[in-house]
Amino acid sequence: MRTDLDHARDPAPDASDGVLILNISGSIQAEELPQQLALLPRWTIHPHDVTPSVDAINSVPTLNEFTSVLRQLLSELEANHKNLRRLHVLAAMPVSAAVTLGRVHDANVHPDLVIYDRTAGQYTAALRIS
């Protein structure tokens, strides 16, 4: 599986918050975002030419591809978006990808991660990693 990174909303140079949607094992649509996140800069990682599913990451090479794209995004944020302080993460992904997100995030370099959980049909902040 190849993984793509899309920029749906490019950040203003002084943006302090952004949104990362991880559509790996399911699909989170822009209209599902909490209102306070809807107009923020947004990046989406998803499988290339494959519908997100529970089998999207089914081997070490596919996990490595996801890791590579995630590292690319975090490097881009560090290099080009120095004012970004918080990255709001809404994810539909397997545990292996969640562990990878935690493993590649460097609190000394990357923005804080605000992880959202879907309960009762809406997304709410559940965890902050700084």
Side-chain angles (χ1 to χ4, degrees):
M1 170 194 82
R2 271 191 34 225
T3 307
D4 288 337
L5 171 62
D6 295 336
H7 304 265
R9 292 187 165 279
D10 289 325
D14 60 346
S16 63
D17 287 71
V19 175
L20 173 59
I21 298 175
L22 299 168
N23 285 340
I24 307 301
S25 61
S27 296
I28 299 166
Q29 305 303 320
E31 52 274 1
E32 295 178 275
L33 294 175
Q35 185 177 4
Q36 71 273 18
L37 303 181
L39 297 177
L40 294 177
R42 184 171 57 239
W43 296 267
T44 303
I45 296 177
H46 60 89
H48 176 79
D49 286 342
V50 176
T51 301
S53 74
V54 294
D55 293 326
I57 295 180
N58 60 3
S59 65
V60 172
T62 57
L63 183 59
N64 289 343
E65 172 70 16
F66 170 76
T67 303
S68 176
V69 171
L70 185 59
R71 285 183 190 274
Q72 172 191 345
L73 170 64
L74 291 173
S75 293
E76 177 186 321
L77 295 179
E78 194 275 325
N80 301 317
H81 306 291
K82 295 280 189 191
N83 292 322
L84 204 63
R85 299 287 174 245
R86 283 168 303 281
L87 192 59
H88 301 268
V89 180
L90 293 88
M93 64 182 176
V95 172
S96 59
V99 170
T100 296
L101 175 62
R103 188 174 52 81
V104 302
H105 177 258
D106 183 342
N108 296 313
V109 177
H110 303 132
D112 292 354
L113 300 179
V114 181
I115 310 297
Y116 283 71
D117 187 26
R118 183 176 177 154
T119 54
Q122 63 184 6
Y123 289 94
T124 54
L127 175 68
R128 183 173 179 155
I129 302 170
S130 57

